[in-house]
Amino acid sequence: MTKKFEKFLLGLLWLLTITLATTFWMNIKYGFNIFSAAHWAYLSELQAYRTQIKTDFYISIIAAIVIGLIGLYVLARPPRPRGDTQPKSTTKVPEQSITQTVSYETKPVSESVPAQQTDLPRPGIPSARPLPPSGAHASPPRIQVQQTAPVATSHFTAPNIKQQKPQHLDEISNIFQNAGYIIKKCNRIGNLIEPVIALSYDQKLWIGTSNVSASDAMDAVQTLLAVFADTLGDSANDMSVYACILNATDEPEDRDIISTFNTLDELKNFVDARRNTKPADYDQELFDAVSTYIDTVINYIGK
């Protein structure tokens, strides 16, 4: 009973150790807190939007689980018996020969039909559909089977699907830049590919894009606000996010946050009416800190 209790305590100590090590690694490497429900919720949102996440992030979690299970197995397995490992009884059992007689009723076989070989194993049957290739130029695996009749072979090539960059993004970026906004480079936010991110001195963030749905733009706005709320706490109330869409594919539900335009001139007039000017209480150090923070958030989301 004492040994079982010791093993239980050792297992509990091992789980605490591997959990703390995993927490430290995920925080240092990815800024991800495994004890934060908000972080897991945000990860599920990224997976729902099919956002590309680094493969080593999942490898780290799987490796931690595997190491934890292996450690528990090593601690919980019973010790090997010591001393003489030979069995006490060495009585030899006399070998008995078993002869099995099987009679077959043979029938005459026509000379034109060759006799079947019953002592050969049947060839394996390949899958009806070959596995998809791992890359765009990879060829499907080939399974060679000996057969007398010719069989038609089919080649399967996985489609190479690549989302294209929306049009007029350079013009949208120039419009915000000419109005005094600070442009931030972003690879992706949700379903938005390379959107224009413009930061104002009063901590307003504008998302500029074209030929997308208003719902995708609203999802991008909510993604940024969720990260702000999770990382800034009460200070997130000082941040505000809006979106401008050129040639939107649908109508927005909240026009206070999502603005749509039919031409670049309409967008230019809208942005020029809201030029980025320094407020009376402008603090350069505070703005530099906010700008660096926005770079970190965008880089994290865009991976």
Side-chain angles (χ1 to χ4, degrees):
M1 190 68 179
T2 304
K3 292 184 178 179
K4 292 183 179 180
F5 186 70
E6 289 178 356
K7 288 185 177 181
F8 172 77
L9 292 180
L10 287 175
L12 182 61
L13 180 60
W14 169 253
L15 288 179
L16 291 176
T17 302
I18 196 67
T19 302
L20 291 177
T22 305
T23 303
F24 179 79
W25 170 255
M26 298 300 290
N27 272 315
I28 294 300
K29 183 68 176 179
Y30 308 103
F32 184 84
N33 186 3
I34 63 176
F35 295 107
S36 175
H39 283 202
W40 287 106
Y42 178 64
L43 176 62
S44 63
E45 291 180 2
L46 294 180
Q47 293 173 340
Y49 296 145
R50 296 183 178 178
T51 303
Q52 184 178 3
I53 302 175
K54 286 187 175 181
T55 306
D56 54 358
F57 175 84
Y58 295 107
I59 294 177
S60 298
I61 296 178
I62 296 174
I65 296 174
V66 172
I67 293 173
L69 294 177
I70 292 176
L72 287 178
Y73 170 75
V74 173
L75 294 174
R77 68 177 180 178
R80 295 182 178 179
R82 298 180 181 179
D84 188 9
T85 58
Q86 296 294 332
K88 296 181 180 180
S89 177
T90 58
T91 305
K92 294 184 179 179
V93 179
E95 297 181 357
Q96 297 180 357
S97 60
I98 301 175
T99 305
Q100 182 178 4
T101 304
V102 182
S103 61
Y104 296 92
E105 181 181 355
T106 59
K107 295 181 180 181
V109 182
S110 176
E111 296 180 356
S112 60
V113 180
Q116 296 181 355
Q117 297 179 356
T118 59
D119 57 341
L120 296 178
R122 296 183 180 180
I125 302 176
S127 176
R129 179 180 296 179
L131 296 174
S134 58
H137 302 284
S139 59
R142 298 178 179 177
I143 303 177
Q144 296 181 355
V145 179
Q146 295 181 356
Q147 49 190 0
T148 57
V151 177
T153 59
S154 61
H155 297 277
F156 174 80
T157 303
N160 186 11
I161 301 175
K162 183 178 180 181
Q163 293 180 331
Q164 297 181 354
K165 176 182 177 181
Q167 299 178 353
H168 306 297
L169 291 184
D170 294 336
E171 291 86 344
I172 296 174
S173 178
N174 292 332
I175 288 175
F176 278 98
Q177 189 172 6
N178 294 334
Y181 288 86
I182 289 81
I183 305 301
K184 301 292 184 179
K185 184 179 180 181
C186 179
N187 294 328
R188 183 179 189 136
I189 301 180
N191 293 331
L192 303 186
I193 307 299
E194 298 186 14
V196 177
I197 306 298
L199 176 64
S200 66
Y201 292 119
D202 56 353
Q203 301 183 23
K204 290 182 180 178
L205 208 62
W206 292 85
I207 302 175
T209 185
S210 66
N211 302 103
V212 299
S213 65
S215 59
D216 288 342
M218 180 59 73
D219 290 341
V221 171
Q222 293 177 352
T223 298
L224 289 174
L225 291 177
V227 176
F228 295 159
D230 187 35
T231 55
L232 296 179
D234 295 338
S235 300
N237 297 327
D238 298 333
M239 304 291 297
S240 55
V241 184
Y242 304 92
C244 296
I245 308 175
L246 179 66
N247 299 327
T249 58
D250 59 359
E251 294 295 328
E253 296 181 0
D254 191 347
R255 290 190 173 273
D256 293 334
I257 298 178
I258 309 296
S259 301
T260 58
F261 308 92
N262 295 324
T263 62
L264 287 171
D265 291 336
E266 292 180 3
L267 175 60
K268 183 177 183 302
N269 294 333
F270 177 85
V271 175
D272 288 342
R274 296 161 178 80
R275 298 184 65 86
N276 184 28
T277 57
K278 296 180 180 180
D281 57 347
Y282 174 74
D283 187 349
Q284 182 65 40
E285 295 182 358
L286 176 61
F287 178 76
D288 291 341
V290 172
S291 179
T292 303
Y293 168 75
I294 295 299
D295 290 335
T296 303
V297 171
I298 293 175
N299 184 45
Y300 173 75
I301 296 177
K303 289 183 179 180

